[in-house]
Amino acid sequence: MMKKWIRRLTQTQMIVIGFCLVILTGTLLLMLPVSTREGVVTSPVDALFTTVSASCVTGLIIADTYQYWSTFGQIVIICLIQIGGLGFMTIGVFFAMVLRKKIGLWVRGTLQESVNFMQTGGIVRLAKKIIIGTAIFEGTGALILSIHFSRTMEPAQAVYYGIFHSVSAFCNAGFDLMGKDGEYVSLTGYSGDWVVNLVIMLLIIIGGIGFFIWNDLSEHKLHFWRWRLHTKITILMTLILIFGGAAVLFVLEYDNTLVGRPLDEQILCSLFGSVTARTAGFNTVDTAALTDSSKLFTSLLMFIGGSPGSTAGGIKTTTFVVLIAYVSSGLFDKKECSMFGRRLSTDAIHKAGTVLCTNLTLCVTAVLVIVTATSLDVTDVIFEVASAMGTVGMSAGITRDLDTISKLVLIFLMFCGRVGSMTFALSLKGHKVEPPVKLPEEQVMIG
């Protein structure tokens, strides 16, 4: 009976329901007194907020992770981050392979939808690569960080911190345990530490670049012209956003948060700020102290986010590039929209436009609701909303002061940002039915 009911679900519905079950389980666990240092019961809304933030790899928090949550609570959070980062379908398929269970077409199709892969063929091999690659990258990052942290921490604590921050960085979650040095300090105490910064940044980039890119690079290595168009667009846009974003932040913050720092630390802070804004959530400078210009620019980076089929959120780099290419082709009156000698499909352009409009509508609506409910500064609210929608986790310092309605709005945005606004919308439709006839076409004046 249960199997028949599951088979009636669409793949998008299965993904949404799976995330909801993970969130429900995490919320119940975090509400337990054993999850907090003080042994108190966390309110349902605050437990839900933290669970959604962790499972949707966002990083927004209502209480400092170290100071509020016990070791048990922190372990629940890091498990939610790992499940949310890889996707429960990927983990489920991995266990099926370990137990030598048969993986049917429906499961393969759902996994394909979950990781945004372009084809069903080879999806199980990709899942294996994702698990192995994740273990290698997170393990390497944890080892380096553990050794580095051991200079100032006890060995057991250094290993725990190394594993926690490696998983959090790779999954682009942004949760940290540096609250031992003060509430909400994140990585500000390591702003000039090249080892911590480089390891965290590399983990963020590798986790946020997309599993499809891993597959393409493993097959074609550094032979640029053999890469798929998706890989070329993603890597090019990622490099532009990282280094271009760092340059802009350096200029905007030169007389503000970067004052008094050595030049190499100023460059490092700017670079880290650009990388972490791409859905990671850590910070090495006081985010609340950023200029309004920096907050708005960072909000744009957060809105764009990482790449499809990765641990990152946002509208995605490919969506941004496709829209730029489409607008460019219209401005120069080109008959087709193309890049790197390849024509972009009409479906890709339509989907990019839909994602942009949907996410923008959700963000604008959320800003209006929160500003009306709290009367907070609009720039800070825009920053917080972009952070939630892009599953980033950077905060202007207002999240913990929000009322229940505003928290629920951010919870909804984080959920949509992780499963995808289009995926969530499609999950409400059910199975797609093609119309038997097409309606007549008529011209509309534009511009």
Side-chain angles (χ1 to χ4, degrees):
M1 187 71 176
M2 180 63 72
K3 283 188 176 181
K4 286 184 179 180
W5 180 78
I6 291 175
R7 294 291 179 179
R8 290 198 190 102
L9 297 173
T10 64
Q11 290 160 348
T12 51
Q13 286 173 335
M14 186 61 192
I15 293 169
V16 171
I17 290 172
F19 262 105
C20 287
L21 291 175
V22 171
I23 289 168
L24 176 62
T25 304
T27 301
L28 293 175
L29 288 173
L30 290 183
M31 286 177 64
L32 297 174
V34 71
S35 294
T36 63
R37 286 190 179 276
E38 301 297 327
V40 298
V41 176
T42 304
S43 71
V45 173
D46 287 348
L48 176 64
F49 189 98
T50 304
T51 300
V52 173
S53 183
S55 60
C56 295
V57 290
T58 305
L60 288 175
I61 53 176
I62 44 84
D64 184 86
T65 307
Y66 175 84
Q67 297 197 11
Y68 184 80
W69 301 106
S70 65
T71 301
F72 176 81
Q74 293 166 13
I75 292 173
V76 170
I77 288 172
I78 203 62
C79 288
L80 289 170
I81 289 171
Q82 189 71 86
I83 294 170
L86 292 182
F88 68 94
M89 283 302 301
T90 305
I91 295 173
V93 168
F94 171 73
F95 280 116
M97 287 189 291
V98 171
L99 298 173
R100 299 185 181 279
K101 298 286 186 179
K102 186 178 179 181
I103 302 171
L105 285 176
W106 188 86
V107 174
R108 292 169 189 259
T110 307
L111 178 60
Q112 176 197 353
E113 184 76 22
S114 176
V115 299
N116 269 337
F117 200 52
M118 297 181 185
Q119 59 194 41
T120 306
I123 191 64
V124 175
R125 288 195 303 274
L126 177 64
K128 190 182 295 184
K129 286 183 180 179
I130 291 172
I131 296 295
I132 294 173
T134 297
I136 292 172
F137 292 127
E138 287 184 352
T140 304
L143 179 62
I144 296 172
L145 289 175
S146 297
I147 294 172
H148 193 69
F149 287 150
S150 66
R151 299 184 307 169
T152 56
M153 301 177 188
E154 293 294 325
Q157 186 185 32
V159 171
Y160 178 55
Y161 271 53
I163 294 172
F164 190 99
H165 292 93
S166 180
V167 173
S168 184
F170 179 82
C171 292
N172 284 209
F175 279 82
D176 67 85
L177 299 178
M178 296 307 171
K180 65 183 181 64
D181 300 321
E183 279 191 319
Y184 311 110
V185 297
S186 190
L187 298 177
T188 53
Y190 296 88
S191 59
D193 191 318
W194 281 87
V195 174
V196 173
N197 276 260
L198 289 178
V199 170
I200 296 293
M201 283 192 290
L202 285 173
L203 287 171
I204 292 169
I205 293 168
I206 294 170
I209 205 166
F211 303 130
F212 177 83
I213 308 297
W214 293 12
N215 191 59
D216 204 14
L217 292 179
S218 67
E219 290 180 358
H220 300 126
K221 305 299 186 286
L222 297 179
H223 301 292
F224 180 80
W225 294 111
R226 295 176 62 186
W227 293 351
R228 298 283 291 271
L229 178 61
H230 174 85
T231 304
K232 294 175 183 176
I233 290 175
T234 300
I235 291 180
L236 177 63
M237 197 63 214
T238 297
L239 292 173
I240 291 174
L241 288 174
I242 289 174
F243 293 104
V248 173
L249 288 175
F250 182 85
V251 173
L252 294 177
E253 290 299 310
Y254 187 76
D255 293 324
N256 189 35
T257 57
L258 300 181
V259 170
R261 302 174 189 263
L263 179 60
D264 62 332
E265 187 175 336
Q266 291 178 335
I267 294 172
L268 192 60
C269 287
S270 301
L271 195 59
F272 192 91
S274 179
V275 171
T276 195
R278 307 282 313 297
T279 83
F282 296 104
N283 58 282
T284 54
V285 299
D286 184 3
T287 309
L290 294 174
T291 63
D292 287 346
S293 299
S294 295
K295 287 180 181 177
L296 291 175
F297 179 72
T298 303
S299 297
L300 174 61
L301 292 178
M302 293 191 291
F303 185 75
I304 296 171
S307 303
S310 70
T311 59
I315 64 170
K316 305 297 190 296
T317 50
T318 47
T319 301
F320 187 62
V321 173
V322 167
L323 290 170
I324 290 176
Y326 180 61
V327 171
S328 176
S329 66
L331 291 174
F332 293 99
D333 198 25
K334 294 181 180 178
K335 292 184 178 180
E336 59 183 30
C337 184
S338 61
M339 290 190 72
F340 295 107
R342 294 290 186 272
R343 186 179 74 254
L344 297 174
S345 69
T346 304
D347 284 346
I349 296 170
H350 285 172
K351 187 175 181 180
T354 303
V355 169
L356 174 67
C357 291
T358 303
N359 285 28
L360 201 56
T361 300
L362 288 172
C363 286
V364 171
T365 304
V367 169
L368 290 173
V369 171
I370 294 175
V371 169
T372 302
T374 62
S375 300
L376 291 167
D377 181 74
V378 176
T379 303
D380 288 342
V381 173
I382 291 173
F383 190 91
E384 221 75 10
V385 165
S387 182
M389 190 77 234
T391 67
V392 181
M394 297 182 75
S395 176
I398 64 172
T399 304
R400 53 190 179 274
D401 299 323
L402 296 176
D403 61 1
T404 300
I405 293 176
S406 300
K407 287 179 182 177
L408 291 174
V409 169
L410 291 184
I411 287 171
F412 180 71
L413 290 181
M414 289 189 287
F415 183 78
C416 287
R418 182 64 187 105
V419 302
S421 52
M422 276 191 65
T423 299
F424 179 73
L426 290 172
S427 71
L428 304 176
K429 282 183 59 179
H431 292 277
K432 183 179 178 181
V433 179
E434 293 290 343
V437 295
K438 290 186 176 181
L439 297 174
E441 183 180 284
E442 187 172 342
Q443 294 295 323
V444 176
M445 289 185 291
I446 302 293

PDB file of all heavy atoms in Angstrom, residues 2 104 137 189 243 340 369 375:
ATOM      1  N   MET A   2       1.854   1.274   0.914  1.00  0.00           N
ATOM      2  CA  MET A   2       2.748   2.420   1.006  1.00  0.00           C
ATOM      3  C   MET A   2       3.547   2.607  -0.276  1.00  0.00           C
ATOM      4  O   MET A   2       3.718   3.725  -0.760  1.00  0.00           O
ATOM      5  CB  MET A   2       3.700   2.248   2.193  1.00  0.00           C
ATOM      6  CG  MET A   2       4.674   3.407   2.378  1.00  0.00           C
ATOM      7  SD  MET A   2       3.858   4.974   2.749  1.00  0.00           S
ATOM      8  CE  MET A   2       3.323   4.694   4.425  1.00  0.00           C
ATOM      9  N   GLY A 104      15.945   0.934  -8.973  1.00  0.00           N
ATOM     10  CA  GLY A 104      15.039   0.997 -10.119  1.00  0.00           C
ATOM     11  C   GLY A 104      15.071   2.328 -10.847  1.00  0.00           C
ATOM     12  O   GLY A 104      15.706   3.298 -10.410  1.00  0.00           O
ATOM     13  N   PHE A 137      37.265  15.143   0.164  1.00  0.00           N
ATOM     14  CA  PHE A 137      37.405  16.588   0.380  1.00  0.00           C
ATOM     15  C   PHE A 137      37.157  16.963   1.838  1.00  0.00           C
ATOM     16  O   PHE A 137      37.928  17.728   2.428  1.00  0.00           O
ATOM     17  CB  PHE A 137      36.451  17.359  -0.540  1.00  0.00           C
ATOM     18  CG  PHE A 137      36.805  17.268  -2.001  1.00  0.00           C
ATOM     19  CD1 PHE A 137      35.856  16.870  -2.937  1.00  0.00           C
ATOM     20  CD2 PHE A 137      38.085  17.563  -2.438  1.00  0.00           C
ATOM     21  CE1 PHE A 137      36.177  16.784  -4.290  1.00  0.00           C
ATOM     22  CE2 PHE A 137      38.424  17.475  -3.785  1.00  0.00           C
ATOM     23  CZ  PHE A 137      37.465  17.079  -4.713  1.00  0.00           C
ATOM     24  N   GLY A 189      38.170  35.822  14.298  1.00  0.00           N
ATOM     25  CA  GLY A 189      39.453  35.649  14.983  1.00  0.00           C
ATOM     26  C   GLY A 189      40.530  35.053  14.097  1.00  0.00           C
ATOM     27  O   GLY A 189      41.705  35.013  14.471  1.00  0.00           O
ATOM     28  N   PHE A 243      36.673  36.704  -7.972  1.00  0.00           N
ATOM     29  CA  PHE A 243      37.709  37.742  -8.020  1.00  0.00           C
ATOM     30  C   PHE A 243      37.123  39.129  -8.279  1.00  0.00           C
ATOM     31  O   PHE A 243      37.607  40.121  -7.719  1.00  0.00           O
ATOM     32  CB  PHE A 243      38.757  37.375  -9.083  1.00  0.00           C
ATOM     33  CG  PHE A 243      39.561  36.163  -8.725  1.00  0.00           C
ATOM     34  CD1 PHE A 243      39.323  34.943  -9.325  1.00  0.00           C
ATOM     35  CD2 PHE A 243      40.542  36.231  -7.734  1.00  0.00           C
ATOM     36  CE1 PHE A 243      40.048  33.811  -8.975  1.00  0.00           C
ATOM     37  CE2 PHE A 243      41.275  35.108  -7.379  1.00  0.00           C
ATOM     38  CZ  PHE A 243      41.029  33.894  -7.997  1.00  0.00           C
ATOM     39  N   PHE A 340      30.066  30.098 -26.489  1.00  0.00           N
ATOM     40  CA  PHE A 340      31.118  29.129 -26.790  1.00  0.00           C
ATOM     41  C   PHE A 340      30.757  28.259 -27.997  1.00  0.00           C
ATOM     42  O   PHE A 340      31.021  27.059 -28.027  1.00  0.00           O
ATOM     43  CB  PHE A 340      31.402  28.231 -25.580  1.00  0.00           C
ATOM     44  CG  PHE A 340      31.962  28.966 -24.401  1.00  0.00           C
ATOM     45  CD1 PHE A 340      31.171  29.196 -23.281  1.00  0.00           C
ATOM     46  CD2 PHE A 340      33.274  29.422 -24.395  1.00  0.00           C
ATOM     47  CE1 PHE A 340      31.680  29.868 -22.178  1.00  0.00           C
ATOM     48  CE2 PHE A 340      33.792  30.094 -23.291  1.00  0.00           C
ATOM     49  CZ  PHE A 340      32.992  30.322 -22.182  1.00  0.00           C
ATOM     50  N   VAL A 369       6.895  42.047   4.031  1.00  0.00           N
ATOM     51  CA  VAL A 369       6.263  41.463   5.222  1.00  0.00           C
ATOM     52  C   VAL A 369       7.101  41.734   6.471  1.00  0.00           C
ATOM     53  O   VAL A 369       6.573  42.161   7.506  1.00  0.00           O
ATOM     54  CB  VAL A 369       6.071  39.936   5.034  1.00  0.00           C
ATOM     55  CG1 VAL A 369       5.625  39.290   6.354  1.00  0.00           C
ATOM     56  CG2 VAL A 369       5.052  39.660   3.947  1.00  0.00           C
ATOM     57  N   SER A 375       9.575  46.864  11.437  1.00  0.00           N
ATOM     58  CA  SER A 375      10.082  48.234  11.249  1.00  0.00           C
ATOM     59  C   SER A 375      11.606  48.303  11.324  1.00  0.00           C
ATOM     60  O   SER A 375      12.179  49.319  11.730  1.00  0.00           O
ATOM     61  CB  SER A 375       9.472  49.184  12.305  1.00  0.00           C
ATOM     62  OG  SER A 375       8.073  49.215  12.202  1.00  0.00           O
TER      63      SER A 375
END
